[in-house]
Amino acid sequence: MAAPLMLILILAVTIRAALYRSNLADLIAERVEVVSPLTAWKRVVEGLALLDLGVSPYSGDVFHETPLIIYLFHFVVDYAEITFMLADVLTAVALYKAVKEYNKQVFRKQKFALEADRYPLDCLELIRTPKEMYYIPLKVATFYLLNPFTILSCVAKSTCALNNAVIALFFLATIKGNVLLSAIFLALATYQSIYPLSLCAPALLYFMQRQYIPVNYRRASFWWFLTQYAFIYLGSLFIIVGLSFFLLGSWDYLQSVYGFILSVPDLTPNIGLFWYFFAEMFEHFRLFFLFVFQINVFFYTLPLSIKLKDHPVFLMFMQLAVISIFKSYPTVGDVALYLAFIPVWSHLHRFLRNIFLVACVLLACSALFPVLWHLWIYAGSANSNFYYAITLLFNVAQILLVSDYFHAFLRREHHLSYGLYLKRKDGSEATLVLK
C-alpha cells in the first residue's frame, strides 16, 4: 500500500506546485469561499509586517490568527508554499494511518462477534470483508489530497490547512490509544479555533471503550480517567496560552482571536450562515442571536454522544461535520476534512436515501458560488440575496448529507441486532421506521 500512497502524494504535490506557478494562485487566494478573515494569507503577511516593525500584529483589526501561527511563519515565510503542501501531506498520512488502525479494530470486533454468534443469520451480507476494507485508508488519503476544496485551500495558503493537520494528528493519536498526545493535539486545535473543544467527547468515549472503563457516573474509574484527560488537556492548553503570552508580551491576542471568532464583527461573505443574518440584524437583538448561533456547534454534542456512545469514531465524524457547518467563519477547507471520512462509511451506501440528490446539490452549489459572486460584485445584476441563497442551499445539503449517514448508520446497527429482513407477528414483511 506504500507505493500507491506515494504516487497519490506525488500527484497531489505536483498539482499544487503547478497551481502555485500559475496565474490562478492570486485569484484563488481572494475567493471568499476559500479564505476567511481568520485564515487569509494576506492577513498573515500584514501581521508579519507589523511584527517586523516592532508593532503588535493585533494592534489593528487585520490579523486574527494565533501567535504561534505568526511566529511559525516568521521563520518559514520564504517557504510558505512548501509549508502548506507539507501540512496537506501530513494530514493525509495521519488520516491514512488512523483509518488503517481503525479498520483493524473494526475487523477484530467483528470477528469476535461472529465467533460469539451475536449477528442474526440473515444479516451476514452486512458483514465487512477484509478485501472491502483493504483500500479504504488509501481512498481516505486520496479523498483529502485530491479534493478540489483541499487543493484550493492549499493554493490560497489558507491557515485552515494547518488546523486540519492538527485535527488529523489528534485523530491519529486517539485511534492509536495515546492519551497524552491526543489531549495535547486537542488542546492545540482548541487553541487555534475554539470549536474543536466538542471533539473532547468522542475522544473520551473512545479511550473509555478501549480501556474497558464503563460510562457510569457512579464508578470511580470513570471520574478518575475523566480527571486525567482533563488535567492533560487543560495543562497543555495553559502551557500553549502561556507560551503565546511569552512570545507576544501581552494578552491582546485573546480579544483579537477568540473575541473575533465568538463576536463575529467582520461580516465578509463566506460559505457560512452568520454573515448575512447578522448584516440584517437589529443591533439590540445581536447578542441573543449570537449566543443562539454559537451554541449550535456545541448543542448537538451531548445528544449525539448519548446516542453514539458505543461508536465514538462515527461520533467524531459527526462532530467534524457540525463544526464545519455551524462555525462562524467556515471555508471549503473545513468541509474537505470531514468529506475525507466518507470512504470509511462506504458500507452504509445501501442504506443512504438521498446521496445522489445531495451530491448533485453540493456540486451545483460549488459551481454557482463564483458565478453568483461575479453577478453580485462585478456585473451588478444580482445582490447579496442571491449569494446567500446558494450559501444556504450548500449548508442544507451538508446537513442532509450528514443526517443521511446518521440514519444509515443507525439502521445498519439495528439490522445487525435484529436481522435484515424484519417480520411482523403474522409473518408478513415489516418496514423499519427510525424516529
Side-chain angles (χ1 to χ4, degrees):
M1 190 65 74
L5 178 62
M6 187 58 64
L7 288 175
I8 295 297
L9 293 176
I10 292 171
L11 177 61
V13 170
T14 303
I15 293 172
R16 286 160 172 77
L19 286 172
Y20 275 131
R21 298 293 173 265
S22 71
N23 296 326
L24 294 173
D26 292 335
L27 176 65
I28 294 171
E30 296 293 329
R31 295 303 313 167
V32 293
E33 301 88 6
V34 182
V35 297
S36 72
L38 282 170
T39 62
W41 174 247
K42 66 179 182 180
R43 292 181 179 245
V44 175
V45 173
E46 290 283 348
L48 288 170
L50 291 173
L51 191 65
D52 290 337
L53 292 172
V55 179
S56 171
Y58 302 102
S59 57
D61 193 33
V62 175
F63 183 70
H64 300 287
E65 262 293 357
T66 55
L68 290 188
I69 290 291
I70 195 169
Y71 276 96
L72 168 67
F73 285 110
H74 184 69
F75 296 105
V76 300
V77 66
D78 294 330
Y79 309 98
E81 296 174 0
I82 297 175
T83 302
F84 283 103
M85 286 192 287
L86 286 177
D88 275 0
V89 168
L90 179 63
T91 304
V93 173
L95 292 176
Y96 174 87
K97 290 184 174 293
V99 172
K100 190 175 182 179
E101 177 65 24
Y102 172 66
N103 280 348
K104 289 179 182 177
Q105 296 174 15
V106 168
F107 185 72
R108 197 180 303 121
K109 289 179 181 178
Q110 184 178 267
K111 183 180 177 181
F112 291 152
L114 283 170
E115 291 174 351
D117 292 327
R118 294 179 185 172
Y119 296 140
L121 294 176
D122 63 346
C123 72
L124 293 181
E125 61 186 271
L126 300 179
I127 303 303
R128 306 177 70 184
T129 62
K131 183 179 179 181
E132 171 195 339
M133 300 170 70
Y134 183 74
Y135 290 102
I136 288 178
L138 183 63
K139 289 178 182 178
V140 169
T142 305
F143 263 55
Y144 186 78
L145 285 174
L146 300 184
N147 189 328
F149 289 166
T150 313
I151 295 172
L152 290 174
S153 292
C154 183
V155 174
K157 291 184 277 193
S158 168
T159 55
C160 176
L162 303 178
N163 298 342
N164 287 351
V166 173
I167 292 174
L169 290 171
F170 155 73
F171 182 64
L172 175 60
T174 304
I175 295 297
K176 289 286 188 180
N178 193 320
V179 178
L180 177 63
L181 287 180
S182 172
I184 290 173
F185 283 123
L186 181 59
L188 190 57
T190 307
Y191 164 80
Q192 280 296 113
S193 62
I194 299 178
Y195 298 114
L197 172 63
S198 62
L199 297 175
C200 190
L204 285 169
L205 289 171
Y206 180 85
F207 285 123
M208 289 179 182
Q209 187 182 88
R210 186 184 178 96
Q211 299 179 19
Y212 304 103
I213 299 172
V215 183
N216 189 333
Y217 303 110
R218 299 178 181 179
R219 299 290 291 271
S221 58
F222 169 81
W223 290 107
W224 173 241
F225 182 79
L226 190 66
T227 304
Q228 280 183 306
Y229 195 86
F231 178 79
I232 299 171
Y233 168 74
L234 293 174
S236 302
L237 192 59
F238 178 78
I239 291 170
I240 295 168
V241 170
L243 179 61
S244 300
F245 173 77
F246 175 77
L247 291 171
L248 200 63
S250 73
W251 297 105
D252 294 344
Y253 76 93
L254 293 176
Q255 174 60 32
S256 295
V257 178
Y258 308 118
F260 186 84
I261 293 172
L262 295 175
S263 61
V264 200
D266 192 322
L267 300 178
T268 302
N270 53 56
I271 63 169
L273 300 170
F274 281 71
W275 66 272
Y276 184 87
F277 193 85
F278 285 97
E280 303 293 331
M281 175 67 60
F282 290 111
E283 193 61 31
H284 53 281
F285 292 127
R286 180 181 173 84
L287 184 61
F288 171 75
F289 282 101
L290 196 62
F291 180 79
V292 171
F293 271 62
Q294 292 287 10
I295 205 174
N296 256 308
V297 177
F298 306 99
F299 180 78
Y300 305 103
T301 304
L302 182 60
L304 285 174
S305 299
I306 294 172
K307 188 65 178 178
L308 298 171
K309 65 178 181 179
D310 297 324
H311 309 283
V313 176
F314 188 77
L315 173 60
M316 199 173 296
F317 163 72
M318 294 289 295
Q319 285 298 125
L320 285 173
V322 168
I323 290 171
S324 71
I325 295 169
F326 293 110
K327 68 188 297 187
S328 53
Y329 292 104
T331 63
V332 292
D334 300 300
V335 179
L337 181 60
Y338 84 83
L339 286 182
F341 287 89
I342 293 296
V344 180
W345 319 116
S346 58
H347 57 287
L348 302 178
H349 285 174
R350 66 180 292 171
F351 299 117
L352 295 176
R353 300 166 297 177
N354 307 308
I355 187 64
F356 178 74
L357 174 63
V358 170
C360 290
V361 172
L362 288 174
L363 289 172
C365 290
S366 301
L368 286 172
F369 275 131
V371 173
L372 293 179
W373 179 263
H374 178 82
L375 291 176
W376 174 25
I377 300 299
Y378 297 104
S381 56
N383 55 39
S384 59
N385 295 325
F386 287 73
Y387 191 78
Y388 187 67
I390 207 67
T391 299
L392 197 60
L393 184 60
F394 184 73
N395 283 286
V396 168
Q398 289 187 81
I399 293 169
L400 288 175
L401 176 69
V402 174
S403 60
D404 206 8
Y405 269 94
F406 185 50
H407 168 270
F409 187 87
L410 294 180
R411 183 170 178 179
R412 180 178 180 272
E413 291 301 314
H414 186 275
H415 284 311
L416 287 175
S417 299
Y418 299 101
L420 185 58
Y421 304 103
L422 304 177
K423 301 290 183 181
R424 292 192 177 95
K425 291 181 179 180
D426 60 1
S428 60
E429 185 178 347
T431 302
L432 178 64
V433 179
L434 296 178
K435 294 184 178 181

